[in-house]
Amino acid sequence: MNPIDCQKPTFALTTPLYYVNAAPHLGSAYTTIVADAIARFKRLQGQSVLMITGTDEHGQKIQRAAQASGINPQEHCDRVAATFASLWQKLNIQYDRFSRTTATDHEKIVKDFFERVWNKGDIYLDRQKGWYCVACEEFKEERELIEDRHCAIHTNLQTEWRDEENYFFRLSNYQQQLEQLYAEKPDFIQPQSRRNEVLNFVKQGLRDFSISRVNIDWGFPIPKDPKHTIYVWFDALLGYVTALLDSQQEPTLENALSHWWPIDLHLIGKDILRFHAVYWPAMLLSAELPLPRQVVGHGFLTKDGKKMGKSSGNTVDPVELVERYGSDAVRYYFLKEIEFGQDGDYNEIRFVSVLNADLANDLGNLLNRTLGMTKKYCQGQVPSVRGEEISTAENTLKTLGTDLGDRVAQAYNSLDFTQACEQIFILIRSCNKFIDEQAPWLLYKQKKQTEVEKILYAVLESVRLSAYLLSPIIPNLSNAVYQQLGLDLDFNNLASVNPRDNFEKHAQWGFLPASGSLKPAKPIFPQLELPSD
Ligand code: MSP
């Protein structure tokens, strides 16, 4: 994946706005965990960040879900939206805005936008006939369907025949401009495989799509013709714009777009690529507004090889997982184990074994044993060695640590979290090996105090650097490491403007000040066990 822009002082990113047909599952949590790790890394680097998440609350799918639970749609949305917000809190997600598409401000923004597109002459009335997947909220081409006219994404659901009068958006008018956009900005859609998917789709010729529904009252009325409601996707994409309004601002399109627009990164799953990489830029072109900088589509979490989803009923409950294992465990597993961009299968046995190996043993035990030795051999103080006094020739950890910050930054900016973790864990594992080889306990007995101190300093500093660089992924564990090293940076509360030179200092091997007091060693991550049931 090509790196995302890291030089700008500000960075705005979005997760999708999740449907509230049911409580969140692990698949929806995945996108949000990824977005949070990016946002945290950007803040660590000193960028001012706006992270937007929220819920998509209109349309037939939600209307039916509310009917099934026997409550009115708004009450249903309020309940389910609250379960999303509560999960984000449990997962330690630091979002700045939570955009709900049933908010009154949003209605005004949708109306303003609709009018711009209407005045442009890009909306007309026609007849829509076709197969509709309510779970996707999308008309499907006959060739996209599988056996028995089931949707290829929601394989247990049959599509429904529709034949009705709808308003249409002239997507076909934007074929050329979109092709030009993809050609001029090859990074607009990432990764490359998703870009190719979009290019192939657009090459086949764009067809206008319907942006209103009849017989569904759970949505905003079309301003010119209120017996139609606005199609849920037309409404939902604009939720990203509404999110930009400050709480005091009058809800106008102009106000919303005055700050933070255009969005730097729309992070989405591959199933909603077409909406974000084709429909959305075309809608913005029609409204004559600047386009977002990048759309990145990740893969699916699968269970037994099938897309995990609320409509398919094969989900894993993220609340249960986070309550059993803790937020850092869940975050680490999904960021490290699922190669970003690819599909990845969730498996609890693997989950437990990866966490035990990496966090409990390699990192947790390393910190514990090193603090123990420092207490014994150096009175519980960071040895009075300075990083620059250790030469790379005499110390492999310094060699590995010297440009680790740059390599990990490059990995984060390319959204390669697996690589970021791997690079950091090479250093962590080398620390364990280094201690075993150097055997400071023997050197201590031989009264080689200076050597003992250099070894322990190098290990403590490598652990510190690792914790710093892992903080976008496991902020609580990084805090625990920093705290035991006697350092007082709170990764859950980086000052709103974290100056750029902070990153340059902290991400540098050798930053750990000599002679600081260390805190008593406490295990930072317990050995996990599989549930017995
Ligand atoms: N409401 C729309 C998005 C509107 S954005 C303006 C929507 N909602 S969703 O709840 O169905 O999906 C939200 C996101 O969760 C999508 O990016 C989707 O790809 C992601 N995931 C849903 N199931 C998933 C997996 N099993 N695995 C990974 N992500 C998946 O679409």
Side-chain angles (χ1 to χ4, degrees):
M1 184 118 46
N2 295 342
I4 46 183
D5 193 353
C6 41
Q7 297 308 324
K8 285 174 66 240
T10 61
F11 192 83
L13 79 166
T14 66
T15 72
L17 306 183
Y18 300 99
Y19 284 130
V20 289
N21 57 318
H25 63 82
L26 211 50
S28 24
Y30 177 67
T31 324
T32 312
I33 292 173
V34 171
D36 185 62
I38 300 171
R40 283 177 182 264
F41 180 69
K42 297 271 156 200
R43 289 190 202 105
L44 200 64
Q45 276 200 313
Q47 280 175 287
S48 176
V49 173
L50 187 84
M51 174 172 157
I52 297 169
T53 188
T55 41
D56 182 357
E57 306 189 353
H58 284 135
Q60 185 148 35
K61 169 157 149 158
I62 310 304
Q63 189 170 328
R64 285 187 184 171
Q67 263 158 12
S69 47
I71 48 177
N72 80 52
Q74 190 60 62
E75 199 183 328
H76 169 87
C77 293
D78 294 349
R79 280 189 198 172
V80 182
T83 65
F84 276 88
S86 144
L87 175 62
W88 303 154
Q89 198 188 2
K90 287 186 204 298
L91 281 169
N92 202 1
I93 306 293
Q94 295 191 320
Y95 56 85
D96 300 284
R97 302 282 161 87
F98 192 101
S99 188
R100 295 187 56 187
T101 58
T102 53
T104 6
D105 281 1
H106 182 59
E107 179 162 15
K108 178 65 176 36
I109 296 295
V110 173
K111 198 159 165 268
D112 279 8
F113 188 88
F114 185 92
E115 255 154 34
R116 283 180 86 121
V117 177
W118 179 275
N119 293 339
K120 189 75 180 288
D122 279 337
I123 296 176
Y124 63 94
L125 196 61
D126 203 350
R127 201 147 192 98
Q128 169 79 63
K129 286 186 192 175
W131 296 101
Y132 194 71
C133 171
V134 176
C136 291
E137 291 280 16
E138 188 182 19
F139 278 100
K140 302 280 174 181
E141 301 285 336
E142 190 88 46
R143 62 182 150 79
E144 291 176 311
L145 301 177
I146 56 170
E147 216 180 317
D148 271 347
R149 300 221 165 80
H150 281 226
C151 164
I153 298 175
H154 304 98
T155 49
N156 61 334
L157 297 181
Q158 207 162 25
T159 53
E160 299 172 19
W161 178 251
R162 297 285 154 82
D163 178 359
E164 59 189 37
E165 200 160 63
N166 285 171
Y167 283 93
F168 281 72
F169 171 68
R170 284 189 211 281
L171 181 64
S172 55
N173 268 2
Y174 295 92
Q175 170 99 25
Q176 203 202 337
Q177 282 183 73
L178 287 175
E179 280 175 338
Q180 194 180 341
L181 163 73
Y182 307 142
E184 283 172 2
K185 301 208 166 118
D187 287 345
F188 178 69
I189 307 163
Q190 286 284 311
Q192 193 64 28
S193 54
R194 307 265 179 267
R195 177 169 188 266
N196 293 341
E197 250 173 66
V198 172
L199 295 188
N200 283 336
F201 171 73
V202 173
K203 206 163 61 190
Q204 292 167 29
L206 291 175
R207 296 190 16 204
D208 299 347
F209 68 98
S210 68
I211 56 160
S212 79
R213 297 290 180 266
V214 282
N215 308 322
I216 300 172
D217 47 16
W218 190 236
F220 296 133
I222 291 267
K224 315 282 170 193
D225 189 353
K227 55 179 191 301
H228 288 255
T229 47
I230 295 187
Y231 171 44
V232 57
W233 268 102
F234 194 89
D235 155 352
L237 288 160
L238 286 160
Y240 297 140
V241 173
T242 308
L244 302 176
L245 285 168
D246 285 331
S247 56
Q248 309 303 329
Q249 269 181 319
E250 201 201 325
T252 64
L253 200 52
E254 200 187 348
N255 280 343
L257 298 172
S258 63
H259 196 45
W260 294 106
W261 188 263
I263 298 289
D264 294 281
L265 171 65
H266 286 308
L267 190 68
I268 54 164
K270 63 182 181 181
D271 51 336
I272 54 175
L273 189 61
R274 214 178 273 179
F275 295 103
H276 285 79
V278 183
Y279 294 8
W280 182 222
M283 285 162 60
L284 291 163
L285 285 168
S286 168
E288 299 181 4
L289 296 174
L291 303 184
R293 296 209 162 78
Q294 194 170 51
V295 176
V296 172
H298 63 69
F300 284 155
L301 293 191
T302 56
K303 193 154 169 256
D304 310 319
K306 255 182 79 180
K307 177 184 181 255
M308 205 184 277
K310 293 171 268 190
S311 309
S312 313
N314 63 341
T315 58
V316 172
D317 181 2
V319 174
E320 232 176 85
L321 209 61
V322 75
E323 283 176 353
R324 185 179 303 149
Y325 300 115
S327 61
D328 280 2
V330 178
R331 298 168 63 101
Y332 182 76
Y333 179 81
F334 288 104
L335 290 168
K336 146 96 195 305
E337 277 297 295
I338 311 290
E339 196 141 333
F340 186 77
Q342 313 288 321
D343 289 354
D345 211 51
Y346 169 73
N347 173 313
E348 198 161 6
I349 296 177
R350 172 110 193 114
F351 181 93
V352 166
S353 81
V354 165
L355 293 165
N356 281 342
D358 292 4
L359 300 185
N361 297 340
D362 289 343
L363 176 62
N365 286 349
L366 173 65
L367 175 67
N368 217 265
R369 74 198 281 222
T370 314
L371 286 176
M373 284 188 281
T374 317
K375 186 169 170 204
K376 230 161 145 186
Y377 309 143
C378 310
Q379 295 82 47
Q381 283 200 335
V382 178
S384 55
V385 175
R386 282 179 301 135
E388 59 268 29
E389 289 167 20
I390 298 175
S391 74
T392 46
E394 68 178 329
N395 193 316
T396 50
L397 301 186
K398 181 169 182 178
T399 310
L400 278 172
T402 295
D403 62 352
L404 185 68
D406 291 341
R407 279 179 287 129
V408 170
Q410 161 79 21
Y412 274 119
N413 283 320
S414 308
L415 310 188
D416 191 345
F417 307 103
T418 305
Q419 184 60 15
C421 292
E422 267 167 15
Q423 290 292 329
I424 299 167
F425 272 84
I426 289 176
L427 178 62
I428 292 173
R429 290 188 188 111
S430 303
C431 286
N432 280 313
K433 191 157 164 257
F434 185 69
I435 296 177
D436 296 343
E437 284 168 0
Q438 301 290 319
W441 47 91
L442 294 182
L443 296 170
Y444 181 73
K445 275 197 193 139
Q446 294 159 7
K447 308 224 170 333
K448 295 184 174 159
Q449 184 65 17
T450 313
E451 282 177 49
V452 171
E453 291 190 2
K454 280 189 175 177
I455 292 164
L456 292 180
Y457 178 87
V459 177
L460 288 169
E461 168 54 356
S462 299
V463 175
R464 181 208 63 80
L465 177 62
S466 302
Y468 183 78
L469 295 173
L470 282 168
S471 68
I473 298 177
I474 48 170
N476 292 343
L477 286 183
S478 296
N479 270 351
V481 172
Y482 256 57
Q483 197 269 333
Q484 293 188 31
L485 293 177
L487 300 168
D488 65 354
L489 187 61
D490 179 357
F491 293 105
N492 285 318
N493 192 17
L494 292 173
S496 56
V497 182
N498 184 30
R500 196 174 174 82
D501 67 343
N502 254 6
F503 181 81
E504 268 138 36
K505 281 189 217 136
H506 283 250
Q508 195 56 49
W509 196 95
F511 170 79
L512 182 68
S515 312
S517 292
L518 299 167
K519 299 282 181 297
K522 267 195 277 170
I524 55 166
F525 193 86
Q527 279 287 333
L528 304 179
E529 280 174 26
L530 277 171
S532 44
D533 43 90

